[in-house]
Amino acid sequence: MKTAMQPDFRLSVDNARILVDISGDWRRQTVETHDKGSAQQLIQAAERGFDSYRDAACIEIHADRLDGWDSLLLAACLEIIRKAQARQISVSYAHLPEGMVRMLDMAVAVPPKDQQGTRTAPGFFELIGSKLTACPAIIQNLLEFIGDLAASIGRFLRGKASLSSRDLWNIFRECGADALPIVTLTCILLGLILAFVSSMQLKLFGAEIYIASLVSVSMTRVMGPVLTGIVLAGRTGASFAAVLGSMQVNEEIDALTGFGISPMDFLVLPRVLGMAVMTPLLTLYADIAGIAGGFLVGVLMLGVSPTAYMDNTLEFLKLSYMWIGLLHALVFGFIISMCGCYQGIRCGRNASAVGRATTTAVVSSIVGIIVSTSIITIIFTIIDI
Amino acid sequence: MTSTVPAITARGVTVAYGARVIQRDLNFTVQRGDIFIIMGGSGCGKSSLLRVLMGLTRPAAGSICYGDRDLWGCSPAERNSIMRTTGVMFQSGALWTSRTLAENVALPLERYTNLSPADIQELARLKLALVGLAGFENFYPSEISGGMKKRAGLARALALDPEIVYFDEPSAGLDPVSSARLDELIIQLRDTLGMTVVVVTHELDSIFTIASNSVFLDAQTKTMAATGDPHRLIKNGPEAVVEFLTRGRSRHGEPK
């Protein structure tokens, strides 16, 4: 039995013709195990040939002693043909095995003009320019969405919106009751942390008792709503974007529109309403959980008596703080649900677009939460509440 | 009285995504009771045209009239009412995945009729039985096969007894037998319920079995090459259409 020869090639020149003679076994498994005869070496040798014989008008590729080939050799030949054509050198590959000739013919064939890909990677400035020119359209889309949502809420208030009550209850449960465990955990821990950290400073003055008011005021006014908002952004906002995004991919939203059912009324409105109702309720619960966390630290670790702790809490806690906290929560509810639904509804029609929509929804809701907290805080500081 | 008015009239319709024109200057009419095929090679804009006809995307130019009502020239409320006279079977079914098959069919009925919940249940069961899905009422879309999803999508399209039914690539992803059965079903819908059917497809077998009229979209020239009965177009249509309908064999002898 004849053993396959190792891949090899030779270049020679004859009367303004460059001859490339390829021999041996050029299948990938063999090529990989030999030093000489890699596809790159073959291409480079041909290029050196072009450079040293500048009067060459023609290159012929022969392979009379070829034992085996696959697409690796084909790719190398194609590259040589391209390089030759770029130098106005004619190529003859008719002496190759018949299968190779046919495949090279297919690869070399020029596609019809309007089917050629003309897209090139944009340059740096083009990229910046295209991002900038896209801005007005993005703002317009966003305003359109907010306008549609407002119209939809208007229809709901007049009792004309076509949302299904079953969906609404499901969403109440999903973003309300189902979020209770995680809100409990995070807010008790936040109360603990606040109490511990502040006790380090307050101990210096022997004023541990003020931990109670510090924890309760900061929880109800800002920390409760902000932490609830961030938990809901990661939990519910992401799920809104992912659900609506996959509905877009699956043409389910088109199917709704096709029946004349407005996706705004049917999909977005219940989610926005659900979050607008549930975020404040969860925040109330989060406030209590946070105060309980502080209570545990105060009573069990710092030896404050339970009644003194509660007295101090109630002495400094004003009802208005709770209302401010709930206002935060209401705003967060709108921000989270609108970011999630907007990204989901405008999602592209492929799997990676859903991932992008989800990420953008969470990031923009968290940024929105922080920014709106600052704005509300500044406003209430100015009007001195 | 309205029987002489075509079901759908497209005049000078241009389909575009932003600045990229897919098809321009399309003119055709779909008569009542037609099985109208939108055909053409891959990527020629068949499905995009379907979205425009269905009222999902606005054409860049031209008008589409249902009877004598202009789809894009009327108020959104009227457009909605036109869209309710049509049903669509999407390519992959596009069932609402959070609802069972029966609930999928029932949703449009709940929305637009005053029937009792029991009647709606009965109707949903009937429509599912019509497409051969009796007994699958309480299955979720993720629990059934691709072919069944398509049929369930058809049952949902038929929920409101539409005058016009659109099919987006009905035979894509189906085996030849199921595909032939679906063709039979399309003909039955037209014959027994008097529906007008518009089908986007490039399956020649299916085209010659069901078509009574068609429009051919050319991907090269980006406009329609011909409109008419494909059985006649194969004999005296333009070259591009004949080549398509004969599987590119027209120059090498007799078609099959």
Side-chain angles (χ1 to χ4, degrees), chain A residues 14 102 142 147 156 161 253 282 316 323:
Chain A
D14 166 33
R102 253 189 272 144
L142 197 61
F156 174 72
I253 292 183
L282 274 177
F316 286 90
W323 290 121

mmCIF file of all heavy atoms in Angstrom, chain A residues 14 102 142 147 156 161 253 282 316 323:
data_model
loop_
_atom_site.group_PDB
_atom_site.id
_atom_site.type_symbol
_atom_site.label_atom_id
_atom_site.label_comp_id
_atom_site.label_asym_id
_atom_site.label_seq_id
_atom_site.Cartn_x
_atom_site.Cartn_y
_atom_site.Cartn_z
ATOM 1 N N ASP A 14 8.902 29.579 -16.725
ATOM 2 C CA ASP A 14 9.146 29.093 -18.068
ATOM 3 C C ASP A 14 8.454 30.059 -19.015
ATOM 4 O O ASP A 14 7.224 30.126 -19.053
ATOM 5 C CB ASP A 14 8.563 27.676 -18.170
ATOM 6 C CG ASP A 14 8.471 27.218 -19.601
ATOM 7 O OD1 ASP A 14 9.344 27.620 -20.389
ATOM 8 O OD2 ASP A 14 7.507 26.493 -19.923
ATOM 9 N N ARG A 102 -14.062 22.812 -10.540
ATOM 10 C CA ARG A 102 -15.463 23.220 -10.497
ATOM 11 C C ARG A 102 -15.729 24.138 -9.300
ATOM 12 O O ARG A 102 -16.414 25.145 -9.418
ATOM 13 C CB ARG A 102 -16.368 21.988 -10.412
ATOM 14 C CG ARG A 102 -17.089 21.757 -11.739
ATOM 15 C CD ARG A 102 -18.134 20.684 -11.612
ATOM 16 N NE ARG A 102 -17.559 19.366 -11.853
ATOM 17 C CZ ARG A 102 -17.944 18.275 -11.204
ATOM 18 N NH1 ARG A 102 -18.876 18.344 -10.279
ATOM 19 N NH2 ARG A 102 -17.395 17.124 -11.477
ATOM 20 N N LEU A 142 -38.934 57.837 21.814
ATOM 21 C CA LEU A 142 -39.209 57.828 23.242
ATOM 22 C C LEU A 142 -40.438 58.685 23.547
ATOM 23 O O LEU A 142 -41.337 58.272 24.284
ATOM 24 C CB LEU A 142 -37.981 58.372 23.980
ATOM 25 C CG LEU A 142 -37.905 58.081 25.463
ATOM 26 C CD1 LEU A 142 -37.870 56.590 25.680
ATOM 27 C CD2 LEU A 142 -36.659 58.717 26.057
ATOM 28 N N GLY A 147 -46.150 59.378 24.778
ATOM 29 C CA GLY A 147 -47.450 59.893 24.339
ATOM 30 C C GLY A 147 -48.475 58.784 24.196
ATOM 31 O O GLY A 147 -49.612 58.886 24.682
ATOM 32 N N PHE A 156 -57.779 54.028 29.684
ATOM 33 C CA PHE A 156 -58.045 53.189 30.854
ATOM 34 C C PHE A 156 -58.944 53.931 31.845
ATOM 35 O O PHE A 156 -59.903 53.372 32.381
ATOM 36 C CB PHE A 156 -56.716 52.816 31.522
ATOM 37 C CG PHE A 156 -56.875 52.080 32.815
ATOM 38 C CD1 PHE A 156 -57.306 50.762 32.825
ATOM 39 C CD2 PHE A 156 -56.598 52.703 34.022
ATOM 40 C CE1 PHE A 156 -57.458 50.079 34.017
ATOM 41 C CE2 PHE A 156 -56.746 52.022 35.217
ATOM 42 C CZ PHE A 156 -57.182 50.709 35.215
ATOM 43 N N ALA A 161 -59.922 51.004 27.725
ATOM 44 C CA ALA A 161 -58.714 50.284 27.329
ATOM 45 C C ALA A 161 -58.995 48.786 27.297
ATOM 46 O O ALA A 161 -59.736 48.261 28.129
ATOM 47 C CB ALA A 161 -57.578 50.585 28.298
ATOM 48 N N ILE A 253 -46.491 40.172 18.901
ATOM 49 C CA ILE A 253 -46.999 41.541 18.972
ATOM 50 C C ILE A 253 -47.672 41.909 17.658
ATOM 51 O O ILE A 253 -48.735 42.542 17.637
ATOM 52 C CB ILE A 253 -45.850 42.506 19.341
ATOM 53 C CG1 ILE A 253 -45.444 42.208 20.786
ATOM 54 C CG2 ILE A 253 -46.266 43.962 19.186
ATOM 55 C CD1 ILE A 253 -44.375 43.086 21.351
ATOM 56 N N LEU A 282 -44.765 47.808 48.071
ATOM 57 C CA LEU A 282 -43.562 47.087 48.478
ATOM 58 C C LEU A 282 -42.639 47.982 49.295
ATOM 59 O O LEU A 282 -41.967 47.520 50.213
ATOM 60 C CB LEU A 282 -42.806 46.581 47.244
ATOM 61 C CG LEU A 282 -43.243 45.242 46.685
ATOM 62 C CD1 LEU A 282 -42.454 44.938 45.426
ATOM 63 C CD2 LEU A 282 -43.030 44.143 47.711
ATOM 64 N N PHE A 316 -39.136 60.786 66.149
ATOM 65 C CA PHE A 316 -38.531 61.512 65.030
ATOM 66 C C PHE A 316 -39.193 61.226 63.687
ATOM 67 O O PHE A 316 -38.985 61.961 62.734
ATOM 68 C CB PHE A 316 -37.036 61.177 64.947
ATOM 69 C CG PHE A 316 -36.244 61.844 66.025
ATOM 70 C CD1 PHE A 316 -36.033 61.223 67.247
ATOM 71 C CD2 PHE A 316 -35.746 63.124 65.817
ATOM 72 C CE1 PHE A 316 -35.313 61.850 68.241
ATOM 73 C CE2 PHE A 316 -35.032 63.751 66.814
ATOM 74 C CZ PHE A 316 -34.809 63.123 68.034
ATOM 75 N N TRP A 323 -44.696 59.849 53.123
ATOM 76 C CA TRP A 323 -45.275 60.295 51.853
ATOM 77 C C TRP A 323 -44.178 60.579 50.832
ATOM 78 O O TRP A 323 -44.305 60.239 49.659
ATOM 79 C CB TRP A 323 -46.145 61.541 52.040
ATOM 80 C CG TRP A 323 -47.419 61.260 52.771
ATOM 81 C CD1 TRP A 323 -47.826 61.826 53.946
ATOM 82 C CD2 TRP A 323 -48.449 60.349 52.386
ATOM 83 N NE1 TRP A 323 -49.038 61.315 54.328
ATOM 84 C CE2 TRP A 323 -49.446 60.400 53.381
ATOM 85 C CE3 TRP A 323 -48.610 59.478 51.313
ATOM 86 C CZ2 TRP A 323 -50.605 59.629 53.323
ATOM 87 C CZ3 TRP A 323 -49.762 58.712 51.252
ATOM 88 C CH2 TRP A 323 -50.739 58.786 52.260
#
